[in-house]
Amino acid sequence: MPNVCYLGPTPQQTPRSTKSFWIVVRCVPVIRTIERRLFPSTRAETMRTLSAWLNLFMRVKLPFMLDRSSINLLRMCVVSIKLASLRSKRYVRPVLVENIKTNADSDNPMTKLRTRLFTAGISKSFLENSVLPSWWEESLAMEPGGFREIVGHISSYLGFSMSSLMNPERKLECPVSGNVKYKKKKNVDPQEITVATNIGISVARSIARSFPDEEAPEQVPAACELRERLLTGNKKEWLELNDILAASWDMGIPVVFVSNLPSATKPDALTTFIGDRPVIVVMEAQKSPSRISFTIAHELGHIHFKHLESGQTLVDESIDRSSVENEEQQANNYAKALLTGKETTNFQTGTPIKAAVLKNMALGSAKIHKINPGVVLWNYAFNTGFWGPSVNAIKAIEGSRDAAKEITKVLKSRIDEGNISSDDLEKIDSAISSRA
């Protein structure tokens, strides 16, 4: 008789649950052998059939062989196989499992959670197409581990608390993510933009993970110093949006345009520190590159003047050039100095001018003062209130250019996809997908 050393109890001492476990384990190679004989193809097919057999094995329970602990073991095994194979994007729903209907299927907790999220303003299409990861399938929610994992994903993306998402009897709660300062209009409740704010912060975290930990961001220099550096280095007549974006990324400050949001209620922009790295998130509903240049320059001003520190988020609900609040004035002046060379630049005329004439005047002033003609026109519109001809002249100069697309193009060329997970990449792609 061979000399056998047992790691654990001897066969005579093995409790029923352990015997049941080994019955399950010994079935696996048999199932895989049958799979290879019947479907001599890919590992994905083996995974599919293995999952199906185990799931069927679990549902019929085979009470004459297995006790309760072994049934629970099988359940965990099925969920783990599904999650692993779905994450690798090689999973095909097992036909055997799909055809088995149980009473528990009608009690899927995701059904009620979808309804609660819809009541909270998250449309079913936004949840399905933008929030839920591509590997998710509804049957996973029937297992506690699977449901908890997807609830954590939803909580991370939208900002709803885990406890309120898990408990169907509680009202969904959406606390602000982290230490947030609001620069907002009067009589506006910050809760109205909380979901958009949390999405922006979540996307910023994903982007920040693409930077090596040892690569610290640079300090943002004074506006005139940065302007001179960009004009001289790029040999430009004036600064374009791409120049501002390049300067920001070169300093280690990524910029993202988040356009895919569940509602139209959103801030113009926010800046958040992920650790020691600031990330600028733009959400403003403007296509004009020269207008968005001011928004990004405004956020760089907040960083330069240290209006926020590590771990904080500053939310500009609406960037108001006439604001009398001290920090907003400083950020506005920084933006104006970066784009025009002076904090006091103001273009005006005594009477309204037609758009065609205004366009030519702006192009002439741009060459003289080395200021982007779009910036000239936005400055003129703000100072005079002649918005109609100014906006028409801007459209004539900028044509079909779209700031969101330009920001996204730079983002995709700069982000290091090798440093972040597929879930993070999926989240970023979803956030920028609406207009990009």
Side-chain angles (χ1 to χ4, degrees), residues 268-289:
D268 279 353
L270 64 86
T271 296
T272 183
F273 267 86
I274 308 301
D276 294 325
R277 185 176 305 284
V279 180
I280 296 173
V281 180
V282 182
M283 303 182 188
E284 188 174 356
Q286 276 285 351
K287 288 190 174 186
S288 167

Side-chain angles (χ1 to χ4, degrees), residues 12 25 34 40 46-47 71 74 91 111 113 153 158 176 188 246 265 267 269 281 287 299 343 357 373:
Q12 292 75 18
V25 170
I34 294 171
T46 302
M47 187 75 76
I71 295 298
L74 276 170
Y91 183 77
T111 303
L113 181 55
H153 183 91
L158 299 176
V176 177
V188 174
T265 307
V281 180
K287 288 190 174 186
E299 298 305 312
E343 294 181 2
V357 178

Side-chain angles (χ1 to χ4, degrees), residues 200-306:
I201 295 171
S202 178
V203 172
R205 287 197 190 103
S206 295
I207 293 171
R209 281 192 275 268
S210 71
F211 286 83
D213 293 337
E214 65 277 5
E215 188 179 298
E218 298 177 17
Q219 295 294 318
V220 177
C224 290
E225 178 188 338
L226 181 57
R227 175 181 170 82
E228 186 62 28
R229 182 199 305 175
L230 294 176
L231 287 175
T232 304
N234 298 333
K235 298 180 180 179
K236 293 284 190 74
E237 290 185 287
W238 52 67
L239 297 182
E240 293 280 1
L241 172 60
N242 281 338
D243 300 316
I244 308 296
L245 291 172
S248 186
W249 278 92
D250 287 345
M251 290 185 285
I253 304 171
V255 181
V256 58
F257 197 112
V258 174
S259 49
N260 189 13
L261 294 165
S263 117
T265 307
K266 58 189 176 182
D268 279 353
L270 64 86
T271 296
T272 183
F273 267 86
I274 308 301
D276 294 325
R277 185 176 305 284
V279 180
I280 296 173
V281 180
V282 182
M283 303 182 188
E284 188 174 356
Q286 276 285 351
K287 288 190 174 186
S288 167
S290 54
R291 178 66 184 88
I292 298 302
S293 293
F294 186 92
T295 299
I296 296 171
H298 178 99
E299 298 305 312
L300 288 173
H302 283 309
I303 299 168
H304 170 75
F305 289 111
K306 296 179 171 57

Side-chain angles (χ1 to χ4, degrees), residues 10 93 100 136 140-141 152 237 255 295 333 350 369 383 418-419 434:
T10 65
R93 288 189 177 98
I100 297 173
W136 174 254
L140 292 173
E237 290 185 287
V255 181
T295 299
N333 288 339
H369 301 286
N383 289 315
N419 282 345
S434 182

Side-chain angles (χ1 to χ4, degrees), residues 68 94 111 160 186 218 247 257 366 409:
R68 173 59 58 183
T111 303
F160 291 103
K186 293 180 181 178
E218 298 177 17
F257 197 112
K409 183 178 180 181

Side-chain angles (χ1 to χ4, degrees), residues 32-51:
R32 295 189 66 178
T33 301
I34 294 171
E35 172 65 13
R36 282 193 293 268
R37 294 282 180 87
L38 297 178
F39 306 102
S41 183
T42 64
R43 178 181 173 84
E45 289 175 337
T46 302
M47 187 75 76
R48 179 189 64 204
T49 301
L50 177 60
S51 175

Side-chain angles (χ1 to χ4, degrees), residues 337-357:
L338 177 58
L339 297 176
T340 71
K342 296 179 182 178
E343 294 181 2
T344 56
T345 302
N346 290 305
F347 292 98
Q348 296 188 27
T349 59
T351 57
I353 300 174
K354 291 183 178 181
V357 178

